[in-house]
């Protein structure tokens, strides 16, 4: 099972934590890659770093190929409490050690059976680069579903879902796609140097009308005083690639990264979870 198949994984830290805890609970060994080019060369090089507490868990090192076609030293560890804490703190798809990373491409084992692996080198947010063994699918999804249904947002979005019960699947899909494209409507309106073209034309008045039925009152209220898609982004943005490279500290990032957009996405993904219970 790829991580992109786990409901609400990318939107909620609570879901990421329960997935991590569930997988760690059935594993006893971990393996990391120290890349030939820049990674960890010797286990004792961890002394003086925040990871020195995992040195006692070290089992052995071999040279070989990691998932993703990368070569280097493969460090095997017992999955001790200090190592679990680092993984919980930094995520299953983490890279230990900053830039460049010392250790990356985590794999987790039960004995010699690999139950999880990721190619964290390829960018953490690419969750199709992280995979859990199918034998854990039911356990992981059950834990995720229990976690989601205990979240306060679940109850809020349940009430909104009731008000949408007369809409067809096609209408729901269209409306939610428009709302999820808010980040691109904003970037297009302020002439951000790079953005995705929204899936369909929609003026701000129509967008706000749709949002009223799909978002929580608190999140929707932010849109009420606004006059257009440019208003949610009041900060300077890079209008050329050179702006983004040379003066990045002067400019706001894409609206996709804004806290407001992230909240809109959390609510809509929760709504999709409630209205399309694929895995329950």
């Amino acid at each position: 099972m790829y991580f992109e198949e786990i409901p609400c994984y990318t939107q909620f830290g609570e879901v990421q934590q329960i997935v991590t805890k569930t997988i760690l609970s059935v594993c006893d060994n971990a393996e990391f890659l120290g890349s030939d080019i820049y990674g960890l060369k010797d286990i004792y090089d961890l002394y003086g770093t925040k990871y020195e507490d995992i040195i006692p868990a070290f089992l052995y090192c071999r040279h070989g190929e990691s998932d993703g076609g990368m070569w280097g030293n493969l460090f095997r560890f017992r999955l001790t409490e200090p190592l679990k804490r680092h993984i919980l703190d930094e995520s299953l798809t983490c890279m230990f050690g900053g830039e460049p990373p010392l250790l990356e491409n985590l794999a987790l084992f039960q004995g010699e059976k690999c139950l999880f692996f990721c190619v964290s080198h390829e960018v953490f947010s690419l969750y199709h680069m992280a995979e859990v063994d199918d034998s854990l699918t039911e356990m992981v999804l059950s834990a995720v579903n229990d976690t989601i249904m205990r979240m306060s947002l679940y109850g809020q979005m349940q009430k909104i879902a009731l008000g949408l019960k007369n809409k067809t699947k096609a209408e729901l899909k269209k409306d939610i796609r428009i709302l999820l494209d808010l980040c691109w409507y904003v970037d297009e309106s302020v002439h951000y140097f790079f953005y995705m073209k929204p899936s369909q034309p929609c003026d701000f008045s129509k967008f706000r009308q749709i949002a009223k039925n799909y978002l929580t009152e608190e999140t929707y209220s932010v849109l009420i005083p606004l006059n257009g898609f440019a208003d949610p982004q009041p900060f300077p943005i890079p209008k050329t690639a050179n702006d983004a490279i040379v003066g990045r500290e002067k400019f706001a990032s894409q609206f996709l990264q804004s806290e407001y957009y992230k909240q809109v996405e959390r609510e809509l993904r929760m709504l999709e979870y409630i209205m399309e219970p694929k895995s329950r």
Side-chain angles (χ1 to χ4, degrees), residues 170-181:
E171 289 172 328
L172 289 168
K173 184 177 180 180
K174 179 182 177 181
D175 287 348
I176 290 174
R177 184 64 264 165
I178 287 173
L179 296 177
L180 285 171
D181 277 352

Side-chain angles (χ1 to χ4, degrees), residues 12-26:
F12 296 99
E14 299 96 321
V15 174
Q16 294 173 21
Q17 281 283 295
I18 195 60
V19 170
T20 302
K21 289 178 180 178
T22 302
I23 296 173
L24 289 176
S25 73
V26 295

Side-chain angles (χ1 to χ4, degrees), residues 157 160-161 164 167 170-187 196-217 219-221 223 229 232 255-256 258-272 275:
M157 300 315 293
I160 289 174
L164 299 169
K167 284 187 174 288
E171 289 172 328
L172 289 168
K173 184 177 180 180
K174 179 182 177 181
D175 287 348
I176 290 174
R177 184 64 264 165
I178 287 173
L179 296 177
L180 285 171
D181 277 352
L182 173 61
C183 55
W184 308 127
Y185 291 119
V186 170
D187 284 349
M196 295 284 289
K197 190 74 176 174
S199 59
Q200 53 193 299
C202 181
D203 63 36
F204 186 71
S205 178
K206 177 66 173 177
F207 181 93
R208 191 164 48 191
Q209 182 182 342
I210 296 170
K212 185 175 183 179
N213 296 317
Y214 286 81
L215 302 179
T216 62
E217 185 175 346
T219 302
Y220 171 70
S221 68
L223 301 173
F229 285 121
F255 197 68
L256 178 74
S258 69
E259 287 306 313
Y260 182 72
Y261 178 77
K262 289 177 183 177
Q263 181 58 28
V264 169
E265 186 183 28
R266 281 192 286 266
E267 293 184 9
L268 295 173
R269 295 306 185 191
M270 181 69 81
L271 188 61
E272 287 180 324
M275 303 192 79

Side-chain angles (χ1 to χ4, degrees), residues 121-269:
H121 173 81
E122 291 296 333
V123 180
F124 322 145
S125 60
L126 297 180
Y127 291 108
H128 64 280
M129 303 300 286
E131 186 173 0
V132 61
D133 189 80
D134 287 343
S135 64
L136 299 185
T137 297
E138 185 176 345
M139 179 188 296
V140 169
L141 291 180
S142 177
V144 166
N145 291 333
D146 288 346
T147 297
I148 291 174
M149 286 187 275
R150 288 197 299 269
M151 294 168 64
S152 60
L153 184 59
Y154 179 83
Q156 291 177 278
M157 300 315 293
Q158 264 193 321
K159 294 177 182 177
I160 289 174
L162 287 174
L164 299 169
K165 62 183 179 181
N166 293 326
K167 284 187 174 288
T168 66
K169 286 187 177 181
E171 289 172 328
L172 289 168
K173 184 177 180 180
K174 179 182 177 181
D175 287 348
I176 290 174
R177 184 64 264 165
I178 287 173
L179 296 177
L180 285 171
D181 277 352
L182 173 61
C183 55
W184 308 127
Y185 291 119
V186 170
D187 284 349
E188 181 182 41
S189 182
V190 298
H191 306 295
Y192 199 96
F193 84 98
F194 173 81
Y195 65 90
M196 295 284 289
K197 190 74 176 174
S199 59
Q200 53 193 299
C202 181
D203 63 36
F204 186 71
S205 178
K206 177 66 173 177
F207 181 93
R208 191 164 48 191
Q209 182 182 342
I210 296 170
K212 185 175 183 179
N213 296 317
Y214 286 81
L215 302 179
T216 62
E217 185 175 346
E218 181 180 2
T219 302
Y220 171 70
S221 68
V222 173
L223 301 173
I224 295 174
L226 306 182
N227 296 311
F229 285 121
D231 289 356
Q233 181 53 285
F235 305 109
I237 52 90
K239 296 191 177 182
T240 68
N242 188 62
D243 286 343
I245 295 169
V246 176
R248 69 176 65 182
E249 69 281 353
K250 301 177 183 178
F251 299 113
S253 57
Q254 287 187 306
F255 197 68
L256 178 74
Q257 302 299 325
S258 69
E259 287 306 313
Y260 182 72
Y261 178 77
K262 289 177 183 177
Q263 181 58 28
V264 169
E265 186 183 28
R266 281 192 286 266
E267 293 184 9
L268 295 173
R269 295 306 185 191

Side-chain angles (χ1 to χ4, degrees), residues 36 43 85 100:
D36 273 343
I43 189 64
R85 282 197 298 272

